[in-house]
Amino acid sequence: MSRIGVVGAGSFGTALAIALAEAGRDVTLWARDAEHVADMVATRCNARRLPGPVFPTSLTPTADLSDLTKSDAVLLSLPMQQLEPFLGRNRDVFDGMPLVACCKGVSLQSGNGPTAIIDQACPNSTSAILTGPSFAADIGRGLPTALTLACANAEAGETLQSLLSTPVLRLYRSTDPIGAELGGALKNVVAIAAGIVIGAGLGDSARAALMTRGFAEMRRFAEHSGAAPDTLSGLCGLGDLVLTCTSEQSRNFRYGMALGQGDAFDPAVTVEGASTARAVAHLAAQRSIDMPIATMVAAVLDQNLSVADAVQALMNRPLKEE
C-alpha cells in the first residue's frame, strides 16, 4: 500500500487526506496541536476544520513529524506564509523526500513561490505543486475534482501523478511549476478584487470585466517570471480564477465582498490573497510590470486608497487596445 504524509490538518489538508485514504492509500495526517490530534483520533473526524466527513480507517492523525518519514510523498498543506519557516525548522526531517506544496501564494519573506522554497530548504528533495480549482468541502465529500500537478522533473511528475490520483481526484501533469504556482497565487488577488466589485454593488458585468483584465495581469506577471505562456490557460490559472471569483465558498472572494461592503472580516480566517497582493505589488514595481489590479488591491488592504477611489482610478486609466 502506498504511504502518503500530509502536513497540516486544515480544511484542505484534511480533505486531501480523506480522499487519498478513501482510495486505498495509507495516510498520515500531521497537526501541530496535540490536543487537536487527540480529538481527531477520538472522533475520527476533523470537526474543527472540516466538519462532516468521517476518516477512513487508513487515515492516521499524528502530532509527531517522524511518523511521516516513511511516506512515498509528503503533501505540504500549510498557509503560504508558514511554509518557509516550517521547512527551515524541519529540513532535516524532509530533505530527500518527494514534497508536494498544496498552498497558493508568494512568500512575503523571500518573494519565492512554494517550489522554490522547497528547493532551497530541501535541495535533495523532488519538489512539486498541487493546485487548481477546488474547495476542501467538495474534495472531503468525494465530489469529482480536477487539479494540476506541476513538477519540473517529468519522470518524477508521472510517478506523483499516479500516486496521488484517485477515482474522484483527477490530476493533470505539467512540467511548469512556476506557471502553476503563480496561477494559483495571482487568482486570489483577482478574487479579492472581484469580491470588492460585488460587495460595492457594481454588478456582474463589472465583475466579468475585472476577471478578464485580471487574467491578463496574471499571464503578464507569470510570463515575465519565466512561466510557459499557455500554463495559465489551464486548470491552475483560468479554471481556478473562474471558481474563486464566482463562489462565496472562496475566502478571498468573501474577504473582498466584506471590503466592498465596509464590513469587518473574521481575522481568524486565512486569506492568502492579501499577503500575495502585497508581495506581487512590490515585485511588480521592482520589475516594472504593469499590474494595476494587484496594485489597487494592495493599496486598499493597506488603507492607502478607498474602495471608491480604487474603482475610479481603474476606470480612468488611459484608453488602449485590448
Side-chain angles (χ1 to χ4, degrees), residues 1-4 20-21 23-27 57-59 70 72 163:
M1 181 184 293
S2 300
R3 293 170 295 188
I4 308 296
L20 290 164
R25 277 54 160 197
D26 184 0
V27 180
T57 56
S58 61
L59 197 166
K70 294 183 180 180
D72 297 308
L163 181 65

Side-chain angles (χ1 to χ4, degrees), residues 101-260:
C102 303
C103 49
K104 299 174 181 179
V106 177
S107 170
L108 281 171
Q109 179 179 329
S110 65
N112 287 329
T115 55
I117 289 171
I118 292 171
D119 291 340
Q120 288 186 4
C122 302
N124 297 308
S125 291
T126 295
S127 64
I129 184 162
L130 185 64
T131 184
S134 56
F135 290 132
D138 293 346
I139 295 174
R141 290 167 55 202
L143 299 180
T145 302
L147 299 172
T148 297
L149 176 72
C151 180
N153 183 318
E155 184 177 351
E158 286 189 39
T159 299
L160 288 169
Q161 181 185 37
S162 177
L163 181 65
L164 300 175
S165 294
T166 79
V168 295
L169 195 61
R170 181 175 177 83
L171 305 188
Y172 286 84
R173 193 173 67 252
S174 169
T175 54
D176 181 16
I178 293 175
E181 64 191 18
L182 284 176
L186 296 168
K187 61 88 187 178
N188 282 335
V189 180
V190 182
I192 292 174
I196 290 173
V197 164
I198 296 302
L202 302 180
D204 288 332
S205 296
R207 171 166 53 182
L210 185 284
M211 289 171 62
T212 304
R213 297 313 305 161
F215 183 62
E217 279 193 27
M218 290 168 59
R219 285 182 58 110
R220 186 158 57 244
F221 188 91
E223 291 178 30
H224 193 280
S225 302
D230 293 335
T231 299
L232 268 71
S233 296
L235 290 165
C236 59
L238 181 59
D240 212 355
L241 177 71
V242 171
L243 180 68
T244 313
C245 290
T246 58
S247 174
E248 291 189 29
Q249 286 192 68
S250 163
R251 292 169 294 184
N252 292 279
F253 180 71
R254 293 200 313 273
Y255 179 61
M257 284 185 66
L259 288 172

Side-chain angles (χ1 to χ4, degrees), residues 6 9 17 27-31 33-34 36-46 55-64 67-68:
V6 179
V27 180
T28 303
L29 175 63
W30 178 86
D33 184 343
H36 186 192
V37 170
D39 288 344
M40 290 190 289
V41 170
T43 63
R44 298 302 300 166
C45 69
N46 187 350
F55 288 177
T57 56
S58 61
L59 197 166
T60 304
T62 184
D64 187 349
D67 290 339
L68 278 63

